[in-house]
Amino acid sequence: MRDDDGSWDEDVRLAVYHAFAHHGRAPSAPELADAAGGSLAVAKQALHRLAAAHHLVLDEREHVVLAHPFAAKSLGFSVMGTRTLWWGGCAWDSFAIPHLVEAEPEVLVATRCPGCGQPHALVVERAKPPEGAQVAHFLVPAARMWDDVLHTCANQRLFCCESCVDAWLAETGRARGSVLDLVTLWQLARGWYAGRLERGYRRREPDDAVAYFAEAGLTGPFWAPPAGA
């Protein structure tokens, strides 16, 4: 079904997200073409517009590499449901998947602490946050997250504790970002992508995003929108 402007963008967007949600992978070329009235060229044009609007991320070969909360390659997290195995885009995205995929209310999120290499496996469910001493460290402030979104996602990681965060920052020479406990990370993730698998989804405006962050307990300069937004 064409959009009001005559494009196939929404059908292509849904094809991307449904392929990830249901199969744990990006759509194939025939699937993309089917979503764009039978034309792969039209589908690729739609993909570029969707990437420009921050609905997804393409690599240099025009392949979808990120369609938050799903990734097409490992960025440090695997997310295992009863039916599907996904790559999570980051700690935030991995915790979001059971809230978005209706058929998977509980998943197993696996990763390693960047500070010491300790493996972690957490059961993340829709009903309540997981228990544990682990923390998430977000390196890139909210206003800059889309400057290099792959770098941003690769640096939203789970650590054993704040001591491991401090050790990793000292080793890498990076400045401290924002540290979230598991409850706050779960609260951030649970409603952020609501509606993304449905037709007509709209991304949050900056003010709406700030209000959402505040509801999760995340305030201050790190979580502020871009200047002038």
Side-chain angles (χ1 to χ4, degrees):
M1 181 171 63
R2 289 180 183 269
D3 301 336
D4 292 342
D5 62 0
S7 74
W8 293 91
D9 292 11
E10 185 65 355
D11 288 85
V12 171
R13 188 189 71 80
L14 288 171
V16 170
Y17 275 92
H18 287 173
F20 275 112
H22 301 315
H23 307 297
R25 58 162 176 80
S28 65
E31 288 169 336
L32 285 172
D34 285 346
S39 172
L40 183 58
V42 170
K44 288 186 174 181
Q45 292 169 1
L47 289 177
H48 282 280
R49 288 191 294 269
L50 291 166
H54 294 172
H55 284 290
L56 48 83
V57 180
L58 302 177
D59 64 15
E60 63 280 357
R61 297 177 296 169
E62 300 183 309
H63 293 165
V64 178
V65 66
L66 274 174
H68 296 292
F70 312 109
K73 65 179 183 179
S74 175
L75 291 172
F77 292 87
S78 63
V79 182
M80 185 174 67
T82 57
R83 301 170 181 82
T84 310
L85 177 65
W86 298 274
W87 296 121
C90 56
W92 181 353
D93 285 349
S94 299
F95 271 48
I97 287 175
H99 299 285
L100 181 62
V101 181
E102 185 176 350
E104 297 282 6
E106 179 180 290
V107 298
L108 182 68
V109 175
T111 188
R112 286 184 179 272
C113 172
C116 69
Q118 175 72 26
H120 294 284
L122 295 169
V123 175
V124 180
E125 58 181 290
R126 197 177 298 158
K128 63 180 187 290
E131 297 180 356
Q134 295 92 339
V135 298
H137 178 261
F138 286 25
L139 182 69
V140 181
R144 306 295 301 275
M145 285 181 179
W146 276 93
D147 290 0
D148 182 344
V149 69
L150 287 174
H151 170 76
T152 295
C153 289
N155 287 284
Q156 292 180 354
R157 299 294 302 274
L158 280 177
F159 291 77
C160 299
C161 58
E162 290 205 43
S163 294
C164 276
V165 174
D166 292 338
W168 179 77
L169 292 172
E171 180 180 353
T172 59
R174 291 168 168 167
R176 188 181 183 88
S178 182
V179 176
L180 291 65
D181 60 24
L182 294 183
V183 173
T184 304
L185 178 63
W186 183 87
Q187 291 172 336
L188 172 65
R190 65 177 175 172
W192 181 252
Y193 296 120
R196 184 154 281 195
L197 298 180
E198 301 168 8
R199 183 171 295 278
Y201 171 81
R202 293 290 183 268
R203 287 172 50 82
R204 284 183 176 82
E205 295 297 328
D207 287 347
D208 295 330
V210 170
Y212 181 91
F213 296 152
E215 288 180 5
L218 299 167
T219 58
F222 188 94
W223 296 97

